[in-house]
Amino acid sequence: EGVSFNRAEGALYLFPSITVPSKAREAARAEGIEPDAFYAQQLLDATGICIVPGSGFRQRDGTSHLRFAFLPAEEDIAAVVGLMKDFHQKFMQEYA
């Protein structure tokens, strides 16, 4: 829910588009940061997973993206994806 991306074909990076709820956009504005940077900071604080906000890559106005460099060991990928999924669901509920 709220995330879409093109399938990575041998690439190390994913650049998903996210839909940031309006309450999260308001919270980001109150902190003086872009919504995708707010999401990235919340993810880092909650999980220790570091991603880069897409706003640093000249994304289109009104859109939010994230840049992931997927570097965990192959046997750890499922656990990392699980952490990200759990975080995203809680974020979307909190700011719905």
Side-chain angles (χ1 to χ4, degrees):
E1 173 192 346
V3 179
S4 64
F5 58 92
N6 293 326
R7 184 179 179 96
E9 297 290 336
L12 178 66
Y13 298 101
L14 292 175
F15 201 59
S17 171
I18 61 169
T19 301
V20 180
S22 59
K23 286 184 182 177
R25 289 183 176 281
E26 291 169 14
R29 202 171 310 120
E31 291 188 19
I33 60 176
E34 294 293 327
D36 55 355
F38 180 78
Y39 184 97
Q41 185 64 54
Q42 296 291 312
L43 177 66
L44 178 63
D45 291 347
T47 67
I49 297 171
C50 184
I51 59 174
V52 178
S55 52
F57 295 92
R58 296 182 287 168
Q59 63 192 2
R60 284 182 290 141
D61 287 340
T63 65
S64 294
H65 294 81
L66 306 167
R67 183 174 179 179
F68 292 86
F70 235 74
L71 302 173
E74 190 170 341
E75 62 269 13
D76 296 334
I77 289 177
V80 172
V81 170
L83 280 172
M84 292 168 55
K85 180 180 177 182
D86 290 346
F87 165 79
H88 182 74
Q89 290 173 337
K90 289 175 186 172
F91 182 90
M92 296 300 279
Q93 288 173 354
E94 180 177 350
Y95 293 102

